[in-house]
Every structure is written in structure tokens, then in C-alpha cells.
Amino acid sequence: MTLTLVMLKNFRRNPLRVALTAVAFALPMAIFVAAISMVVALNEASANTEKELRIGVHHKTSLVNPLPEGMRRKIEGLDPDRTRLTGVCGMRWFGGRVPNTQNTLTSLAADADTFPTVYSDTYMQPAEIAAWNKDRQACVVGMNPAEEYGWKTGDRVTLESTVPPYLQLEFHIVKVLDNPERANFFWFRRDYLVESLKEKGEDDPRCNIFWVKCNSAQSLRSLQKDIDALFANTPDETKSEDENTFGANFIQMAGNIPGLMQAMSVVVVVIVAMVAGNTMMMSFRERTRELAVFKAIGFQSRKVFQLVVGESLLLALGGSLLGIVPISLVLWLHPIPMRQMGPVGSLEISWMAAGISLVIALVVGLAAGFGRPTKPCVYEQQMRCGALSKD
Amino acid sequence: MSSAEIEVSQVRKVYYKDRLEIPVLDGLNLKIAAGEFVALMGPSGSGKSTLLHLVGGLDTPTGGSVRVGDAYLESMTERERTAWRSRHIGFIFQMYHLVPVLTAAQNVELPLLLFKMAANERKERVKTALTIVGLGDRMDHRPNQLSGGQEQRVAIARAIVTDPDAILADEPTGDLDAKTSDEILDLLNLLNSEFGKSILMVTHDPKAASRSNRIVHLEKGLLEREEINPVTVRESAVA
Ligand SMILES: Nc1ncnc2c1ncn2[C@@H]1O[C@H](COP(=O)(O)OP(=O)(O)O)[C@@H](O)[C@H]1O
Ligand SMILES: [Mg+2]
């Protein structure tokens, strides 16, 4: 026999209570892990949507009708203090394809200075932005052409335009995107296009679309109205559409639901853990006399205390793992598809949530051992002796 | 087989409860010879259990000194007293205080976990102790499968398995019927006479007390009087 065995045997004392305590840890912990995983997924989704809070401003008639490039300044003029928009990027359709191929890429000439900000979802790193700024021929390409033509960062590539005057331009790749939603894109600098057109004798610095990056769903709504109002009754009447109507709606609708959900999960799990912890403390207090007997036999207080803390830790951690492990495995191996529910693709395990719940279990287990009813009945001489002589 | 003289000198014990002083022992003196069996009597609340705890080093006196063999308890730390107790003292209680989830053998083995001892030597010792108390055939029974008398025997086996110098028994027959009490007292007499253990036994029962060599009466914090039991003294002298 070992002391560990003595400790384990304590679980046979009142199997029903042990089982209920374990379940009291397991269930809330499982729900907690699922809820926090959901919160993490929601936050990620809303962070993604937040990044895409963009308005596309194009000619009221169609995208094909170009707009004067000076409109960018006017749009920026709507919000000189930058309380609603973070940047405006003009773009011109290039319609380029690799010479001797048929596949036209979504190739666009973009304002060099604002492109990295307005398209922050290209995740350009400082070095890449620097290269983009320095090199007039810089371009950012999606993964489809990169894969198809074997392009990598640093390569020189050539595209020929499918729209008059059918320019053929050479570019220098500064980034290959790994974002599947931008797989077919090819962005390069508009100043390069404008100069190249000039060399061909065409002075046409116009844009097909201005992308306006906003800082919130609210700003997006108000700017959308203001921009169209600004150009109403001019030759260049505009139509402003947000890029991801759904995403913007979602943000507005969800408000602080993830935050609330998180707070609620934490409160629930902490309360239940406290109740379970209290049950454990009561079960120790009932055993004050037995613990005193260990002392009378000659066990050091520290040893008796280790038995107590070991037992409560084991129950708290064991019970919690009973809930955490299955839910984590399920969410990990088979993320629950949730497309119909909104921007969250699927509910996956958040290992952080699993980790936090284990930490909570650990803290409760320790607290039950160190708690007011438990610790003194091991360490207080008078309490011990009182328990022994109350025959 | 070991035995120790016990000397309690000028011991005072004051409990504090809600800042209230509860004086219990007030300069008490008691000397128990090595191998002597002393019964401690006295009204409820007179401090009998308290004295037992002080002798076993479970608690510390407010004043005075306690010596068991060559151990001066007041000069030891809590840890030292605990370690000392595991080797030199065996406690027996009225309600047995066995661990309910352990078998008889495991309960008896408990104190040996504090010793550096091979598993089979422990097993041997446990068997011997249980055989001495007459429960060699009940090793694997749990406390709730035993009668009160049998539980107390297991508790006695647990107290002697470490071969202590002294046995401190707090009303060991207080919860047993007359016949079972007799058997337990027979056992204590045996441990005293055959194994030479010093015994200090608290009891309310004059019949139980009459099994000892000497009866001391505790009252108002002091030993009021004592009686030598000529019969048992002669018996133990013969044995
Ligand atoms: N741990 C303790 N804390 C406070 N008072 C105690 C404690 N143990 C005993 N007492 C008090 O000390 C007195 C003597 O108790 P005790 O030694 O148990 O008496 P006895 O065993 O003779 O009945 C009683 O008044 C009791 O209330
Ligand atoms: Mg008492």
C-alpha cells in the first residue's frame, strides 16, 4: 500500500457524491470550452469582416464608365479628420493576361500610397510595403496565377492588356497572396499605368472604382450616403456599394454578443466550480477527525495536507478533463459546420479555451485544499485535538 | 519490545476560545514507570483527554514539561514531535477512528508507511499485530464489516504495529458492552504484561480502571488522589 493508494481509496467513500462532483466539473467545463470556442470564432469572423469594411464607389451607370481621379480628394474631403474613413484607393481596370494565354486576370492598377491600408487584408508586411513603395513595377498577385505560371516573390512577369491601347507591361512581384478569396487578383501601381499610357500618347489617369476603407459599420453606412450625395447632380454621379453587405450587417447586429457570451461562460463556470469546490471542502471538513487521526499516528501536517490537496486536485482536474477532453476532440476532429449561421464557417476547438478551463479546474482544486474549512483542520492543533477528544 | 517512563511535571494547559481563557490543567504532576499501566479517571471536562494529548505530543502545554523516555517534548518542534510520535506512541480512541475505506490490514499498515520498510516486512508486521489482537482471519474486512469490539482490536493493532514505548488510550471501552470491554481490557493487560508497554488509559468505568496497576483521579486541573491496585500490581510483578 502507498499513500497515493490511500488517497485514491477516498473516492470510494461516497461514490455518488464523487460522481456528482465530477459531473459538476465536467459539464460546465465542456460547455465552457464550446462557448469560448464559439466566441473565438465569432471574434475572428468579425475581425475579418471589420477589415473588409470597404465601400466601392463607381459610376452610377456602370463600372465601365471611368471617373476622374480627382474624386479621391473629394471623397477624402468628406472626412478630413479621418474619423470615419481610413483611406481611399482609386483603381483602374487593366484586364491583363499572360501573353499567349486566354485567361484574363483580375488585374487592377491601384493607388500606390493607400493600397496597403485599404487592402489590409492582403496582410502586406513592412518589407513588402517598402518594396511596393520603392519599385514602380511592383505587383501583388493571387495564388492562382502564381500556381499556374510558377510565379514567386521577386520574379519579373509580363502582362498584356485586353483593353485598348493593349499595353504590354513588365512587373516585379513583391508578394504572393495566400488568401483564397483573392486567388485570381493581380494588383499593381496606378502611377506606372498612367506613365505607360502617357508614353503611348494617351493621357488618361481615370479610375473605374474608388475603394473607401471605413473604420466601422456605422461609418460605412453614413459615408455611403454622403458620397453618393456629394456627386449627385454632377456628370459623374456615383453608386456606392459596400463590399461585404452581409459582413457589415453582421457586425452591427451582433454588437457585443461575443463579449457577453464570454462573460457569461466565465461567470457560469466559475460559479459551478465554486459550488463543486465547496462540496469538496465540506467533504474534508466532515473528515476533520480522520485527518486528526493521521496526525495522531504520526503523519506530518504537510503530508496530510498533500493527501487533501492531492485528492481535491485529482477530483477537480479529473472531473474537468472528463468534460474537456471529449468536447475538444469532437471540435478538433469534426468541426461543426455553421455556414447557415453566419460568418463563422465552422465551430472548431479553441485550445486556449481548453487551457483556460483546465487552469480554472486547477485553481478550484487547489482552493478547495487550501480553503478555510480544509487547511486549519490539518494545521490547527486545537482543532485537531478537539476533534479527537469529542468521543 | 520497548517501554518508556513518562514524567509530567508542573503542567499547565489553558485553552483560548473567543479570547476567553479556559484553564484545564493547573500544575499537574504525574510519573508513570516504564511498563506501568495507569488508569486516569475524572469527571467529564476535567482534562483527561487533554493530558493524553500532551503526553502524546499532539498538543503543547501552556507551562511545565513532559518527558517520555529520553524525549523532552517541550524542547521539540511540531515536526520533531510528530516524527517522534510515529515511533514511540500508540493512540487508541473511544470511537476507534479507523479509515472506513481501508481494510483492517491497510488500517494497521498505515503507520508503517512512515517507516523505511520493505513491503513484505510491513505485511509481516501487520499480520503479527492483527494476530496478537485475535483478528488474523479478518485482514481484508473493512471497518463496516466488523463489530465494534473488532474495530477496536484493529485500532489496537494499528497502535502497536510500530512497537511503541507507550500506549495512550482514551476511553477505549466507552462504546462497548461489558463482555467486549473485558476482552479489550484483557488485550491491554496482555500488551502491558507480555510486551511491557507503558499504558495510560482514560476511563469512566471503575471496573475497567481496576484492571490497571494504579488509578489516578483528575479534578480541577490537578491529580486529586490515587489508588494503587494491589491485585494487578502483584500480577504484573509475577508476570
Ligand atoms: N481543542 C479545544 N479547544 C478548546 N477547549 C477545549 C479543547 N479541548 C478541550 N477543551 C476544553 O477543555 C476542557 C477539558 O477537555 P477534555 O480534556 O476533553 O476533558 P475530558 O477528556 O476530561 O472530558 C473542557 O472544558 C473542554 O471544553
Ligand atoms: Mg475526553
Side-chain angles (χ1 to χ4, degrees):
Chain A
M1 191 175 61
T2 60
L3 268 183
T4 314
L5 186 72
V6 173
M7 183 184 80
L8 290 176
K9 290 238 175 198
N10 281 323
F11 291 122
R12 296 184 46 172
R13 205 173 280 269
N14 191 336
L16 181 65
R17 178 153 70 182
V18 169
L20 287 177
T21 310
V23 169
F25 277 108
L27 278 184
M29 289 297 180
I31 293 167
F32 178 78
V33 169
I36 296 296
S37 295
M38 186 72 202
V39 168
V40 169
L42 282 173
N43 280 339
E44 252 167 39
S46 78
N48 283 340
T49 321
E50 201 100 52
K51 281 205 188 72
E52 291 166 20
L53 285 170
R54 266 188 301 256
I55 310 173
V57 182
H58 57 81
H59 197 283
K60 194 168 184 179
T61 315
S62 86
L63 258 174
V64 184
N65 299 41
L67 297 166
E69 75 178 336
M71 281 173 71
R72 173 177 155 183
R73 294 274 162 264
K74 292 183 185 159
I75 295 171
E76 285 169 343
L78 282 173
D79 183 25
D81 302 328
R82 291 287 190 273
T83 53
R84 292 186 290 169
L85 62 79
T86 34
V88 181
C89 182
M91 285 193 190
R92 176 71 184 258
W93 177 251
F94 182 65
R97 66 183 177 205
V98 175
N100 307 317
T101 66
Q102 290 308 309
N103 192 8
T104 304
L105 300 173
T106 314
S107 43
L108 294 152
D111 287 347
D113 55 339
T114 48
F115 174 74
T117 322
V118 174
Y119 272 79
S120 56
D121 46 329
T122 54
Y123 301 105
M124 287 174 77
Q125 301 304 304
E128 292 161 347
I129 294 176
W132 165 271
N133 287 335
K134 209 179 77 197
D135 187 349
R136 229 165 40 97
Q137 294 181 308
C139 68
V140 173
V141 304
M143 57 199 216
N144 280 355
E147 217 163 87
E148 194 174 342
Y149 306 116
W151 294 346
K152 13 181 235 313
T153 304
D155 284 0
R156 298 207 160 271
V157 299
T158 304
L159 291 190
E160 59 178 25
S161 173
T162 53
V163 293
Y166 309 110
L167 280 178
Q168 180 154 332
L169 295 180
E170 195 184 75
F171 303 101
H172 193 186
I173 299 177
V174 299
K175 182 177 179 82
V176 175
L177 300 174
D178 51 9
N179 182 348
E181 283 158 40
R182 306 279 179 217
N184 221 32
F185 274 80
F186 187 109
W187 282 292
F188 62 98
R189 289 170 51 155
R190 205 165 63 83
D191 50 353
Y192 179 39
L193 176 69
V194 172
E195 280 165 37
S196 305
L197 284 171
K198 253 188 203 153
E199 280 164 22
K200 276 254 173 182
E202 284 202 34
D203 188 11
D204 183 8
R206 291 178 299 170
C207 296
N208 294 94
I209 191 163
F210 293 94
W211 285 109
V212 182
K213 172 93 167 168
C214 312
N215 56 19
S216 74
Q218 255 179 329
S219 311
L220 185 143
R221 300 250 168 276
S222 70
L223 275 169
Q224 208 176 347
K225 277 197 205 85
D226 294 353
I227 292 169
D228 288 343
L230 181 65
F231 300 113
N233 305 316
T234 70
D236 302 307
E237 278 200 80
T238 58
K239 179 159 187 199
S240 301
E241 287 179 315
D242 65 40
E243 181 180 32
N244 187 349
T245 311
F246 179 78
N249 280 340
F250 165 73
I251 295 222
Q252 211 162 36
M253 194 182 64
N256 201 22
I257 286 180
L260 243 125
M261 216 164 131
Q262 184 170 350
M264 264 158 48
S265 317
V266 170
V267 167
V268 166
V269 87
V270 166
I271 286 178
V272 175
M274 272 163 59
V275 171
N278 188 50
T279 308
M280 294 196 291
M281 288 198 279
M282 273 159 51
S283 89
F284 289 127
R285 208 227 282 274
E286 282 166 20
R287 268 146 59 192
T288 304
R289 174 172 298 177
E290 213 176 283
L291 298 176
V293 173
F294 273 89
K295 272 305 280 188
I297 288 173
F299 282 86
Q300 296 292 351
S301 304
R302 215 181 48 194
K303 201 115 216 167
V304 181
F305 193 54
Q306 280 167 6
L307 277 177
V308 167
V309 173
E311 185 183 329
S312 71
L313 262 183
L314 206 65
L315 187 53
L317 282 180
S320 302
L321 282 174
L322 227 54
I324 296 169
V325 169
I327 191 84
S328 301
L329 281 180
V330 165
L331 292 183
W332 182 44
L333 298 174
H334 301 285
I336 301 168
M338 304 195 49
R339 281 257 169 250
Q340 69 280 12
M341 270 194 61
V344 179
S346 61
L347 182 55
E348 289 177 47
I349 176 66
S350 150
W351 293 111
M352 182 200 68
I356 290 176
S357 51
L358 265 187
V359 169
I360 293 175
L362 194 81
V363 169
V364 172
L366 285 176
F370 282 84
R372 179 73 190 87
T374 316
K375 201 173 176 195
C377 71
V378 175
Y379 280 100
E380 256 179 42
Q381 258 175 16
Q382 252 180 251
M383 193 152 164
R384 277 199 316 255
C385 294
L388 284 175
S389 61
K390 246 178 257 141
D391 276 340
Chain B
M1 243 218 286
S2 50
S3 182
E5 185 182 58
I6 298 170
E7 189 172 9
V8 177
S9 324
Q10 289 299 315
V11 157
R12 290 196 310 116
K13 179 68 186 178
V14 180
Y15 285 116
Y16 293 90
K17 209 169 201 171
D18 308 323
R19 293 218 202 109
L20 229 68
E21 285 192 12
I22 308 173
V24 179
L25 301 179
D26 190 20
L28 182 140
N29 293 301
L30 173 64
K31 195 162 176 173
I32 300 172
E36 192 182 10
F37 183 173
V38 171
L40 178 60
M41 298 189 78
S44 203
S46 56
K48 306 181 294 296
S49 297
T50 300
L51 179 57
L52 225 58
H53 295 157
L54 292 178
V55 172
L58 268 181
D59 206 347
T60 41
T62 314
S65 76
V66 177
R67 175 177 66 81
V68 179
D70 49 14
Y72 290 83
L73 301 194
E74 67 277 6
S75 67
M76 296 159 91
T77 64
E78 223 264 332
R79 287 183 64 84
E80 288 168 341
R81 266 184 285 121
T82 304
W84 163 83
R85 182 166 58 247
S86 71
R87 299 181 172 269
H88 300 279
I89 298 290
F91 267 107
I92 303 169
F93 305 97
Q94 178 179 352
M95 297 308 294
Y96 335 126
H97 298 341
L98 299 178
V99 181
V101 287
L102 299 182
T103 64
Q106 287 168 331
N107 266 289
V108 176
E109 190 182 350
L110 218 43
L112 295 182
L113 294 181
L114 296 164
F115 288 62
K116 278 206 175 65
M117 195 180 276
N120 44 5
E121 193 192 340
R122 282 207 309 253
K123 211 166 239 167
E124 208 52 49
R125 284 248 212 158
V126 170
K127 190 150 190 209
T128 307
L130 277 169
T131 307
I132 290 174
V133 300
L135 287 178
D137 55 344
R138 297 292 161 90
M139 308 258 290
D140 297 323
H141 287 231
R142 256 192 285 282
N144 62 5
Q145 299 167 313
L146 298 170
S147 71
Q150 287 170 328
E151 279 193 76
Q152 191 60 295
R153 285 166 187 272
V154 175
I156 292 173
R158 180 178 66 184
I160 62 172
V161 74
T162 56
D163 191 24
D165 306 332
I167 291 173
L168 305 175
D170 200 345
E171 304 191 42
T173 60
D175 210 47
L176 300 173
D177 60 44
K179 184 169 164 289
T180 318
S181 295
D182 267 346
E183 289 165 10
I184 294 296
L185 290 163
D186 286 344
L187 196 50
L188 288 177
N189 277 135
L190 177 84
L191 295 176
N192 176 241
S193 56
E194 291 295 313
F195 298 90
K197 305 289 173 210
S198 314
I199 297 180
L200 178 56
M201 175 181 77
V202 171
T203 185
H204 279 296
D205 178 10
K207 214 169 142 240
S210 72
R211 296 292 210 90
S212 67
N213 305 141
R214 179 159 59 111
I215 304 169
V216 294
H217 291 266
L218 184 57
E219 230 165 299
K220 298 190 185 98
L222 290 168
L223 292 180
E224 285 292 300
R225 60 201 159 87
E226 61 175 55
E227 315 156 40
I228 307 292
N229 186 336
V231 184
T232 53
V233 168
R234 204 176 309 126
E235 273 173 7
S236 70
V238 171

